[in-house]
Amino acid sequence: MMRTLIAPVLIAIMATPTLAADRVGYISIASGDLAHAESTLVAERRIFPNRPELMLNLAAVYQRTGRDAAARDLYRSVREKPAVMMDMPSGKIMSSHDLADRGIARLTPAVFATR
């Protein structure tokens, strides 16, 4: 089973990873530069569209910038792909599906209108 390092800000327990490059947007997210994080993540997703760490971190950016629907779509996309075991900065190993579920749980519930 594939394992990868992920550093989502909003969907995991807060921890500080050591990253050589900010290709997953963590440093920008942690420093509050969400615009830079988003541009980094969008560019990386053009190359690696199905990497769950990119989708999860971009979903966190969308959530922090009030775009819950876009965040929800990314979390659901992660759930539609095979689960990937991810090494968390804390040393814990978590499933990409579990991380997506945590992200979805933190979103504002969708409101549906009826006629």
Side-chain angles (χ1 to χ4, degrees), residues 9-37:
V9 171
L10 294 177
I11 57 178
I13 300 165
M14 295 300 286
T16 306
T18 303
L19 297 173
D22 193 22
R23 291 197 170 129
V24 295
Y26 175 77
I27 295 168
S28 297
I29 293 169
S31 70
D33 190 351
L34 300 178
H36 185 262

Side-chain angles (χ1 to χ4, degrees), residues 73-111:
D73 289 344
L74 280 172
Y75 290 134
R76 287 179 178 156
S77 292
V78 170
R79 293 282 301 145
E80 292 170 358
K81 311 263 184 261
V84 174
M85 298 310 294
M86 304 182 131
D87 294 321
M88 302 304 296
S90 65
K92 188 174 183 178
I93 298 171
M94 295 186 70
S95 161
S96 57
H97 287 184
D98 290 341
L99 292 167
D101 289 342
R102 286 180 179 206
I104 289 170
R106 287 186 173 100
L107 289 169
T108 305
V111 177

